[in-house]
Each structure stands twice: as structure tokens, then as C-alpha cells.
Amino acid sequence: MSGKILNYYAGGNTSKGFYSLYDSNLQGLNRLFILKGGPGTGKSTLMKSVGKVWSEKGYDIEYLHCSSDNNSIDGVIIPKLKVGIVDGTAPHVIEPKAPGAVEDYVNLGEAWDSNKLALQKSKINEINAKIKKAYESAYGSYAEALKIHDDWEKIYIDNMNYDKADELAEKLTYQLFGSISVNKKSNVVHRFLGAATPKGAVDFVPNLTGDLPKRLFIKGRAGTGKSTLLKKLAAAAEEKGLDVEVYHCGFDPHSLDMLIFREIGIAIFDSTAPHEYFPERTGDEIIDMYEKLVTPGTDEKYAEEIGLIAEQYKNKMQEGTSFLAQAKNFHDQLEDIYIQAMDFTVVDRIKEQLIGEIEYIEGIAELV
């Protein structure tokens, strides 16, 4: 029987530029293999292959997806073995904490013909410059979209009942955790449930919450306190010793979109666009922040202003996506150059060596 697979992002293209949460997800690993090599050198394919091997053995697997390429991953983790493999090239540069003892570099550059690449040097530099410019433009568009979003939020912030918001947070804290107190230090990991990608917004909410018996869907508007509520619940859970998966907003990483408390089988998440879902099974429940906390009639009173802001926001987000698509197109051109210079039999050999090392770790784990 295959193991369970969790999909999420540990880095994202955000209004604050590329934002990394890799360190949080790699904490606690006893072995980390950091792949080095250019585009098209087979890093994602290698990691997927390793994940498949151990998934088919029945191990749970975590895939860290790539926000800049919908078909690629940036990492794979086998939690039970405390082993991970990650793409260690820019922009997600991984700094080793204990080189050799925990982290090892794996150089896929051994498989390329440097003489062939040298002949393409000017073309490579030209494409890299275009990629850099496209990302800068995308991040600029998202930063402008965030400013527009702030104006959107202000309408609702000015019409919020904060006493009721505090009461709701207290009520939910008791409802979720009651008198629970676990005699251990809480393990907190920070991730993204989704990301802005070349194909638009993508999320893994169904995968991440699929086997949880209780899911709370937070509905509301921009500025109605969804992220603030999640931050309060995360702090309360940590204080009680519960493990917490904290999922940040892929647009504004300083905001939260979801919390998962797997020990007690609960997820609570911002269920508004672009990750809008609705209850579909027993245990699903809606919490409507607008209905509970905002002055009635606010939507109607500011309808024209909200409509204009929403259109401006949508246009800027689409603009950002188009720049990410440009970057992906240029990156594909770069991959083609490297692929022509690669000897993939060498990559296969490196993959088999990695599998052998992880099998050795697995063997030790089974003896303990």
C-alpha cells in the first residue's frame, strides 16, 4: 500500500518578492541532500523518482512544489526517515547548518559538457537577464496589487466590531482546544498552501485537509480579521503544546491562510478566492466573519468603490501572472540549452547512488 502524499509550497512568488520558508520545513532532518546544477539537469525528475520509490514502499512523502514551474518540485521529504532532498539553486539557496554531518551537496553539473555550454555563454547570459527582469516585473505588479488590496481592506476595517472579533477568537479557542494541554514543546512548521504560478493561483487545500475529520471554512471579505484570528489560534495551540502547521498567504506572506492541527484532526482556513471551497461532508463548518463582525449593509454602501478596487486588483494580479509566464518561457529556453549538453546516464547513476544512501539509512532505522 502506497504512503500518503502531502503537497505544499515552501517558497513563493509574493508581493514581497520570492519568499522562502524552506528552513522551517527542513528542520529536524538527520540527512539532507542539496542538489546543485543548472536548469534542465533533471533535479525535479530525480526527486520525484526517489519519492515514488519510498511512497510505493508505504512511506508517507512530502512534495515541496515549485511556484515557478507547475510541473516541477523543489524538494521531497521522507518524514519517517528524517531524510530530504532539495533543489539548492537560486532563488531557494539552502545554507547548510552541519555540512557533511547532516547536509551533503550533490552536483548534477558532473553530467554536463562544459565545452558545449561555453559555446552558448552569451545566449545563457542573455536569457538569464530576461528571466531576472520578468521576475522583477512580476514582483512589482504584486506589490502594487497589495497596495490596492490595502485600500480594499480599509473599507471593512473601518466597519469592524473588534470586541466581537475578540469574543469570536476566545470562543473558537475553547471550541477547538477546550482544556487540552500536551506535556511537550509544540512543533510549528511554516508553509504555503498555494502559490502564484505561471498558470495563475494554485492551491493544495483538498490534499492537505482531505483526511481530517473537522474542517472550518472561514468566509469574509478583505480586512475582516481572518488572518488575525488564525494567528491567535496558532499562538493558543502552541501554548498548549499542540503541533501546528502554519500556512502563509502566497500573496502576502505576512498573513496566514490556514492552520492544521493533525493531532486533533482539525483544519481551519481562509476559504475565499483564490482558494474558495465549500462544505461537502460531515465535519465541515462555515465561519462567516462578514456576517458576525461587520456593520450590516457595508457591501451595499461601498459597492461602487469596492467594484473599482476589485477590478484594479484583478488586473494587477493578472499582470503579475503574465510576467511569471514570461519568466517560465525564458526558463524553458534555458533548459533546452542545458539539456543538449547533458549526459543523463550520469544523472541516473547519481540517482541510484542517492537511493542507495537512503536505503542504508532506512536499514539503520529498521534496526532501531
Side-chain angles (χ1 to χ4, degrees), residues 40-61:
T41 53
K43 299 185 293 294
S44 177
T45 301
L46 184 155
M47 290 185 285
K48 287 178 181 178
S49 296
V50 171
K52 186 172 184 289
V53 168
W54 268 271
S55 175
E56 290 178 349
K57 289 184 177 186
Y59 286 84
D60 292 344
I61 300 295

Side-chain angles (χ1 to χ4, degrees), residues 5-49:
I5 293 174
L6 281 188
N7 299 291
Y8 57 86
Y9 293 91
N13 299 304
T14 79
S15 57
K16 308 295 182 184
F18 182 81
Y19 200 91
S20 175
L21 295 171
Y22 278 84
D23 283 350
S24 180
N25 291 278
L26 303 178
Q27 64 181 344
L29 296 182
N30 290 333
R31 206 84 171 95
L32 178 64
F33 299 99
I34 303 172
L35 304 183
K36 291 292 187 178
T41 53
K43 299 185 293 294
S44 177
T45 301
L46 184 155
M47 290 185 285
K48 287 178 181 178
S49 296

Side-chain angles (χ1 to χ4, degrees), residues 41-207:
T41 53
K43 299 185 293 294
S44 177
T45 301
L46 184 155
M47 290 185 285
K48 287 178 181 178
S49 296
V50 171
K52 186 172 184 289
V53 168
W54 268 271
S55 175
E56 290 178 349
K57 289 184 177 186
Y59 286 84
D60 292 344
I61 300 295
E62 295 176 6
Y63 285 128
L64 286 61
H65 285 254
C66 175
S67 57
S68 296
D69 184 341
N70 297 77
N71 297 319
S72 292
I73 62 170
D74 283 337
V76 59
I77 295 173
I78 311 170
K80 187 175 180 181
L81 298 181
K82 295 188 176 181
V83 170
I85 309 174
V86 290
D87 180 345
T89 56
H92 28 72
V93 178
I94 312 298
E95 292 296 336
K97 305 286 191 299
V102 174
E103 301 94 352
D104 260 329
Y105 285 113
V106 179
N107 181 21
L108 298 186
E110 292 177 14
W112 64 40
D113 185 331
S114 297
N115 291 325
K116 284 185 178 180
L117 292 175
L119 294 174
Q120 300 281 353
K121 178 182 176 181
S122 60
K123 186 67 174 176
I124 290 171
N125 288 336
E126 178 188 334
I127 295 173
N128 274 322
K130 289 179 179 178
I131 291 172
K132 183 174 183 286
K133 184 178 179 181
Y135 278 120
E136 288 173 349
S137 297
Y139 299 148
S141 294
Y142 292 142
E144 289 180 44
L146 182 61
K147 290 177 183 176
I148 296 168
H149 198 268
D150 288 343
D151 292 337
W152 200 347
E153 287 188 342
K154 189 175 187 307
I155 293 171
Y156 293 100
I157 288 170
D158 290 344
N159 288 276
M160 277 271 291
N161 186 320
Y162 287 96
D163 290 335
K164 285 186 177 180
D166 291 339
E167 289 173 11
L168 176 62
E170 289 177 12
K171 179 183 175 182
L172 267 176
T173 299
Y174 182 76
Q175 178 185 328
L176 297 181
F177 311 131
S179 57
I180 291 174
S181 183
V182 186
N183 188 27
K184 67 174 177 61
K185 181 176 171 56
S186 170
N187 181 46
V188 182
V189 292
H190 295 266
R191 301 167 173 166
F192 294 104
L193 62 82
T197 79
K199 293 184 178 180
V202 173
D203 73 77
F204 292 113
V205 170
N207 168 262

Side-chain angles (χ1 to χ4, degrees), residues 203-216:
D203 73 77
F204 292 113
V205 170
N207 168 262
L208 292 165
T209 67
D211 62 348
L212 299 173
K214 183 72 174 176
R215 301 190 301 177
L216 301 176

Side-chain angles (χ1 to χ4, degrees), residues 203-248:
D203 73 77
F204 292 113
V205 170
N207 168 262
L208 292 165
T209 67
D211 62 348
L212 299 173
K214 183 72 174 176
R215 301 190 301 177
L216 301 176
F217 298 63
I218 307 177
K219 300 293 183 180
R221 314 288 189 272
T224 53
K226 301 185 294 294
S227 175
T228 300
L229 173 64
L230 291 174
K231 288 176 181 177
K232 288 180 178 180
L233 292 173
E238 185 175 358
E239 189 176 325
K240 288 176 174 289
L242 288 170
D243 295 342
V244 190
E245 294 171 30
V246 180
Y247 292 87
H248 292 246

